[in-house]
Amino acid sequence: MPGSTTGGSGGAGCVPGRSPQGAERTAAALSDAEGRSAAEETPGCAPGSAGTAPAPEPRPAAVPERRREPRPAAAPATAEAPAAEPGRAPGQGTRRVRRTAAVLAVLAAGAVVLAVLNSGTRHGHLDPRSADPSGSRAVAELLKERGVTTRVVTTAREAADATGPRTTLLVTAPDRLGATQRSVIRSAIDLSGGRTVLLAPGDHSLSDLSPGVRTEGDATSDDLDPRCPLPAADSAGRAGTGGGLRYTTALPGATACYPSGGHPTLLVLPTGTTGGDTVLLGSETILLNESLAEEGNASLALQLLGSRPDLVWYLPSLADADAEPGSGDEDKTLFELVPAGWSWALLQLFLAAVLAALWRARRLGPLVTEKLPVAIRASETTEGRARLYRKAGARDRAATVLRAATRERLAALVGVPPTRAHEPAALVPAVSARLTGGPRDVTAVLFGTTPSDDAALVALADHLDALEREVRTS
């Protein structure tokens, strides 16, 4: 090979024959995937009489780079004013901020309206006004159809004042009552002459509300058979009184129903006043909306709560101030104190904030091509790209770029249209006709396989350079 060659194979400078460094630079110069010509990157070299003339200093070239989001270019070191950011009109950022604020304001207003509308219709556990699965609105509506009036109270004093011979008092959470509240309810049981239903009372409240009765652990099954002479239980049949507490008592006149493991889950005890009684129900299942239609739950609930024309539904609340420590009024968490309607509003606001963050996140911006405000010499770009190719072992990519660039230049020299420059049937005969030396496999040089190692890649670069030089001088 001659001592020096032209820059046809790389376009970035002169490539010495059989030099690994020169071939590496040649491969890198031809690897520009953006389709830039060699003339845009570096000046070419013309062969002189004594070899190769010194190449002029490569002129600086701006290198495009992929960015996530367009950002304003750095101000130049001249007195000229910086240009506006391409593709963005003045004030566009302000308009986007205003639109975002308007959307968030609409979402917030909608969330507040929904919270206000829902806050008055959603109630708690075992509330006769609640249509939730854990509410008791269904049994209250059935009682209303049978002429039973339901009144909801939240303090023990209100519950005691509303009791009488024609009332049924339902205490939904006896264990949450303090000593004062239990005393008030106990007086109402003894003096009212009506029915009192205690829902799942534990030993903490039984000592005051129903002395002589104690618990015997939990029931082993949910649905139980009555196995007692109580008319209400006999007509209801199998019901979901299990899944809660069992009781035991030695009091005379007690009626034990729905036993589990030998201990009843429903007890009916007579009170001191004629005609009055106390019902201990170990499970709340028969009163819940989600389970009222199962087995004989509805029948048993209606008979236990509908034996009198008036029903007082006592839901202990924070208004009962005299609760003993550990009686069930423990400190509540922040989420338990937030009303149900407002929790939905907060959830919607959180989702809106997440969507806005995803929408405005810079990392999700479109990929754009941006000219950097600094000029980089083409030789530095060539060397950097060559090192990357060498580090990645991308001989296939380097060989493909080298051959493609050579084919395009040869097509222009031999009169082949650019659209057919990469067709062997059109290019190879035209190139072969211009060769004056011995027979040569032009097809293997221009359209061959990938070099197996770095030495083969360097040899390919030399062959391509020699082939182009011979065509140029023919």
Side-chain angles (χ1 to χ4, degrees), residues 283-340:
S283 174
E284 61 192 22
T285 303
I286 66 171
L287 302 181
L288 299 179
N289 293 331
E290 61 182 356
S291 55
L292 185 65
E294 299 174 0
E295 299 291 348
N297 294 348
S299 175
L300 183 60
L302 293 178
Q303 294 184 76
L304 292 180
L305 301 181
S307 62
R308 273 79 171 170
D310 296 318
L311 172 61
V312 179
W313 201 295
Y314 177 28
L315 297 171
S317 66
L318 295 177
D320 274 338
D322 186 22
E324 293 180 345
S327 62
D329 285 340
E330 296 87 3
D331 292 338
K332 293 186 176 182
T333 64
L334 176 63
F335 293 99
E336 291 176 342
L337 295 176
V338 175

Side-chain angles (χ1 to χ4, degrees), residues 5-15 26-27 29-30 37-39 42-47 401-410 413 461-462 464-469 472:
T5 62
T6 63
S9 62
C14 301
V15 181
T26 301
L30 293 178
S37 64
T42 58
C45 295
V401 174
L402 281 171
R403 283 171 167 150
T406 303
R407 290 195 297 264
E408 292 174 359
R409 291 193 294 271
L410 288 175
L413 293 175
D462 291 342
L464 291 172
D465 196 39
L467 179 63
E468 183 178 351
R469 183 173 62 252
R472 284 182 183 275

Side-chain angles (χ1 to χ4, degrees), residues 199-220:
L199 193 58
D203 291 329
H204 177 75
S205 58
L206 284 175
S207 58
D208 293 329
L209 299 179
S210 185
V213 180
R214 68 178 186 274
T215 62
E216 287 291 341
D218 297 333
T220 56

Side-chain angles (χ1 to χ4, degrees), residues 52 99 125 349 414 441 457:
T52 302
R99 286 198 298 267
H125 184 65
L349 289 176
V414 299
D441 191 356
L457 179 62

Side-chain angles (χ1 to χ4, degrees), residues 260-467:
S260 174
H263 297 283
T265 58
L266 174 65
L267 270 179
V268 180
L269 305 172
T271 60
T273 305
T274 303
D277 60 11
T278 301
V279 178
L280 276 63
L281 185 59
S283 174
E284 61 192 22
T285 303
I286 66 171
L287 302 181
L288 299 179
N289 293 331
E290 61 182 356
S291 55
L292 185 65
E294 299 174 0
E295 299 291 348
N297 294 348
S299 175
L300 183 60
L302 293 178
Q303 294 184 76
L304 292 180
L305 301 181
S307 62
R308 273 79 171 170
D310 296 318
L311 172 61
V312 179
W313 201 295
Y314 177 28
L315 297 171
S317 66
L318 295 177
D320 274 338
D322 186 22
E324 293 180 345
S327 62
D329 285 340
E330 296 87 3
D331 292 338
K332 293 186 176 182
T333 64
L334 176 63
F335 293 99
E336 291 176 342
L337 295 176
V338 175
W342 288 101
S343 62
W344 282 106
L346 292 176
L347 177 61
Q348 294 178 53
L349 289 176
F350 174 77
L351 293 177
V354 171
L355 292 176
L358 293 175
W359 170 45
R360 296 297 298 169
R362 292 183 63 86
R363 64 180 180 276
L364 299 180
L367 294 175
V368 297
T369 301
E370 176 187 11
K371 288 186 177 181
L372 295 179
V374 295
I376 303 176
R377 292 182 180 274
S379 59
E380 296 179 4
T381 304
T382 300
E383 293 177 3
R385 191 181 295 272
R387 292 191 186 98
L388 290 176
Y389 274 17
R390 187 171 186 177
K391 183 178 181 180
R395 288 185 294 273
D396 54 345
R397 172 66 177 167
T400 300
V401 174
L402 281 171
R403 283 171 167 150
T406 303
R407 290 195 297 264
E408 292 174 359
R409 291 193 294 271
L410 288 175
L413 293 175
V414 299
V416 175
T419 56
R420 305 190 64 187
H422 303 290
E423 297 179 8
L427 183 62
V428 172
V431 172
S432 300
R434 299 286 292 271
L435 299 179
T436 58
R440 192 176 309 174
D441 191 356
V442 179
T443 303
V445 175
L446 295 177
F447 299 95
T449 58
T450 300
S452 58
D453 51 25
D454 291 344
L457 179 62
V458 173
L460 174 63
D462 291 342
H463 294 325
L464 291 172
D465 196 39
L467 179 63

Side-chain angles (χ1 to χ4, degrees), residues 4 41 191 310:
S4 60
E41 291 291 345
L191 302 177
D310 296 318

